[in-house]
Amino acid sequence: MQKEEKAVVRKKHGVILEDRKNLTLTGVKDVSGFDEQKIALNTELGELIVKGTGLHINDFSHETGELTLDGEIDSLVYSGQRQPEGGFFSRLFR
C-alpha cells in the first residue's frame, strides 16, 4: 500500500491598495481578529495587521485566499518572521 502524499500548494501573497480606501489581499490563510480600527490576518508571509478607521471586510474566500476590505487605511504592518524557502543550494539551483 502506498501512502498518498498531499502537495502543499503555497498561494502567492499580494497587496493592492487603492487611494488608501480599498485593499485587496491574496495569499490570506485566515482572519484572526477584526474590529473597525484593526484587522489581524494570517498570510503566506506571516501575520499582517491592517490599522485604520471604519475598516470593513467586504469579502473573504478561504478557498482562494483573497480578501477585500475598505475604510480609511493608515498602516499595514507585518509581524513574525518570513520563512525562507529552502537552503542555500535549493536557491542556487532553481
Side-chain angles (χ1 to χ4, degrees):
M1 234 185 256
Q2 286 184 320
K3 290 185 179 181
E4 288 185 32
E5 293 183 25
K6 292 185 179 182
V8 176
V9 177
R10 184 171 160 241
K11 299 172 187 165
K12 291 194 177 223
H13 176 60
V15 177
I16 300 172
L17 179 61
E18 299 173 9
D19 298 327
R20 290 183 60 184
K21 294 186 187 315
N22 299 307
L23 181 64
T24 301
L25 300 165
T26 57
V28 176
K29 293 179 178 181
D30 193 22
V31 178
S32 55
F34 63 93
D35 59 31
E36 287 189 356
Q37 288 81 35
K38 180 172 116 176
I39 299 175
L41 308 165
N42 293 319
T43 73
E44 294 291 337
L45 300 180
E47 185 178 39
L48 172 64
I49 305 293
V50 179
K51 291 185 180 180
T53 54
L55 299 178
H56 176 259
I57 297 174
N58 293 323
D59 188 36
F60 173 53
S61 171
H62 201 303
E63 291 80 33
T64 64
E66 186 169 315
L67 181 137
T68 59
L69 63 91
D70 60 23
E72 193 66 35
I73 299 165
D74 296 330
S75 69
L76 302 170
V77 178
Y78 288 93
S79 63
Q81 294 186 359
R82 180 178 175 192
Q83 297 296 326
E85 294 179 24
F88 171 74
F89 289 107
S90 67
R91 290 190 304 267
L92 182 65
F93 294 109
R94 283 188 189 181

